């Protein structure tokens, strides 16, 4: 098991099995069906508590809500890291293109700062 950036793992298409699963799950969790599921889960939580059902039911519903929240957190973090990497690659490409457009001659401080910024996230 390696702890590399999620965007750097995967097959030739750039997405590994977990990343593909995370992408599908991310699409599902942003759907109306998942929103309805969450509303029903919260409604079940309220009903179980208002009905004063056995604590085993309360634990079951509470554990289900906790499990869903933990899975959503993992999916959100994976999606965030992949999006962050994609944005950084795009910014580096823009910065490199701006540097290529510069005419030869003296470059100002902004040019030097831009050149230093390319790939900065890999050096820190």
């Amino acid at each position: 098991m390696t702890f590399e950036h999620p965007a750097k793992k995967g097959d030739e298409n750039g997405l590994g099995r977990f990343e593909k699963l995370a992408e599908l799950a991310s699409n599902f969790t942003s759907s109306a069906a998942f929103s309805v599921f969450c509303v029903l889960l919260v409604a079940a939580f309220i009903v179980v508590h208002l009905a004063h059902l056995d604590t085993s039911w309360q634990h079951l519903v509470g554990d289900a809500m906790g499990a869903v929240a933990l899975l959503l957190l993992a999916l959100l973090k994976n999606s965030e890291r992949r999006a962050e990497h994609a944005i950084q690659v795009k910014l580096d490409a823009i910065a490199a293109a701006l540097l290529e457009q510069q005419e030869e001659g003296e470059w100002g401080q902004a040019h030097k700062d831009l050149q230093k910024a390319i790939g900065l996230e890999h050096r820190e």
Side-chain angles (χ1 to χ4, degrees):
M1 182 168 158
T2 61
F3 294 112
E4 55 187 326
H5 198 286
K8 296 189 185 215
K9 295 184 204 175
D11 56 14
E12 64 277 351
N13 295 332
L15 293 179
R17 287 183 300 202
F18 176 76
E19 286 76 21
K20 288 178 185 175
L21 177 65
E23 188 68 28
L24 287 172
S26 180
N27 291 339
F28 172 69
T29 56
S30 63
S31 70
F34 185 74
S35 295
V36 169
F37 170 75
C38 288
V39 168
L40 291 175
L41 193 58
V42 170
F45 179 79
I46 293 170
V47 167
V48 164
H49 280 285
L50 290 178
H52 300 291
L53 293 178
D54 189 35
T55 56
S56 62
W57 283 101
Q58 293 177 8
H59 286 281
L60 178 68
V61 173
D63 290 347
M65 290 178 69
V68 167
L70 185 61
L71 288 172
L72 286 174
L73 178 65
L75 288 171
L76 177 65
K77 189 61 181 174
N78 180 274
S79 179
E80 172 195 347
R81 297 275 297 174
R82 287 187 289 118
E84 170 191 304
H85 180 73
I87 289 170
Q88 191 59 53
V89 167
K90 291 174 186 175
L91 287 173
D92 282 349
I94 291 169
L98 286 172
L99 288 175
E100 285 178 4
Q101 286 182 351
Q102 291 287 332
E103 294 178 333
E104 290 190 26
E106 287 193 35
W107 293 331
Q109 185 61 38
H111 181 270
K112 292 173 186 171
D113 291 343
L114 183 59
Q115 196 167 25
K116 286 180 188 176
I118 296 175
L120 183 62
E121 76 283 359
H122 298 297
R123 294 189 296 262
E124 292 181 341

